[in-house]
Amino acid sequence: MHIILVEDDLQLGAAIQRALERLAYTVSWLRDGREALLALRDETADLVLLDLGLPGKDGLDVLVEARRLHVKTPVLVMTARDGLEARVSGLDAGADDYLTKPFHLEELAARIRSLTRRTQGLAANRIEAGALSLDLGTSEVVFRGQRVELTKREFALLQILMERAGRLVRRENLENSLYGLDNMVGSSALEVLVHTLRRKLSFDTIQTVRGFGYMIAREPK
């Protein structure tokens, strides 16, 4: 899952980035409101964490402009503006959730999981597809009754495919979610990642749709 973090406080931004990357998220950290609007318009992220008090362009103006341009990416506002009027303004401007500072990183992670479930139409943290189960809360993966140890990026890939089980996930969408704005990723990085994940599960779990992308069946064997 690719998250764009927009936060100009260096200490807080670094702490959030570290915490989320430990949870297998891909984080692109921006510090300016104008950069944030450009990134939102590209719609390469799965979720945006948006501070309001930003240099260059206020976060609320960024949000209003993005929604005016029909950007549908979920946005979680993080701000010290904790009054009722500020919260109402943020939600009415198009925020999907609103978190006031200071907050615990555990609560931020829980709200991200909640937004993920809501976006994908899931009712719980556990996703199941046939003999596969994945728990978003504990990062545990079980296949055919056995726990499988995955790297953070393998877990992220499996999560994306399982959330969309039975549907094709295009290659470019996977690369955006897994690698974010990193332009240094090799052209074969995704194929290598799929191969290593198949070795830990089974080679027929992930199906290749040549020229388009990958998918997991709703009931993989």
Side-chain angles (χ1 to χ4, degrees):
M1 182 177 185
H2 177 209
I3 295 176
I4 290 180
L5 166 64
V6 190
E7 172 60 66
D8 66 321
D9 184 302
L10 298 182
Q11 185 174 356
L12 178 59
I16 292 173
Q17 184 177 39
R18 284 195 303 269
L20 295 183
E21 286 179 345
R22 284 198 297 267
L23 294 173
Y25 296 111
T26 299
V27 181
S28 299
W29 180 15
L30 306 177
R31 301 163 178 80
D32 181 274
R34 288 167 297 194
E35 291 180 341
L37 182 56
L38 288 174
L40 268 164
R41 289 172 64 180
D42 285 344
E43 293 194 87
T44 59
D46 301 294
L47 174 68
V48 176
L49 305 179
L50 180 66
D51 183 28
L52 295 186
L54 296 169
K57 192 177 185 69
D58 186 78
L60 190 61
D61 293 334
V62 170
L63 181 57
V64 169
E65 179 70 8
R67 295 310 190 210
R68 187 184 68 81
L69 294 170
H70 307 293
V71 173
K72 298 179 181 179
T73 307
V75 175
L76 191 162
V77 165
M78 313 176 301
T79 181
R81 302 175 192 175
D82 59 353
L84 175 61
E85 184 177 346
R87 294 198 301 274
V88 170
S89 296
L91 293 168
D92 282 346
D96 296 274
D97 200 356
Y98 195 102
L99 186 59
T100 56
K101 301 175 181 177
F103 52 79
H104 291 287
L105 292 173
E106 292 84 355
E107 181 180 3
L108 175 61
R111 287 175 182 260
I112 290 172
R113 291 193 295 271
S114 176
L115 276 175
T116 300
R117 292 196 304 269
R118 194 185 313 166
T119 303
Q120 298 300 329
L122 303 171
N125 278 335
R126 183 174 293 276
I127 310 171
E128 296 183 342
L132 263 171
S133 71
L134 179 150
D135 194 303
L136 297 173
T138 64
S139 299
E140 181 181 76
V141 173
V142 175
F143 181 55
R144 296 174 180 168
Q146 299 295 318
R147 183 171 179 175
V148 181
E149 296 293 335
L150 300 180
T151 66
K152 293 175 183 178
R153 194 148 277 167
E154 289 166 353
F155 181 91
L157 171 60
L158 184 62
Q159 177 185 340
I160 295 166
L161 293 174
M162 288 186 66
E163 285 174 345
R164 299 157 180 81
R167 291 179 285 163
L168 168 70
V169 185
R170 300 186 68 89
R171 177 193 177 91
E172 56 267 30
N173 293 338
L174 284 170
E175 289 177 334
N176 285 335
S177 293
L178 292 167
Y179 305 113
L181 304 179
D182 185 358
N183 294 320
M184 302 300 292
V185 176
S187 59
S188 63
L190 181 58
E191 283 87 348
V192 172
L193 184 62
V194 170
H195 178 74
T196 59
L197 183 55
R198 280 172 169 156
R199 289 181 61 186
K200 292 184 178 182
L201 301 173
S202 71
F203 280 91
D204 57 354
T205 300
I206 302 173
Q207 302 170 18
T208 300
V209 182
R210 294 202 175 278
F212 293 96
Y214 300 91
M215 66 180 291
I216 282 181
R218 290 187 183 277
E219 296 291 333
K221 297 179 180 178

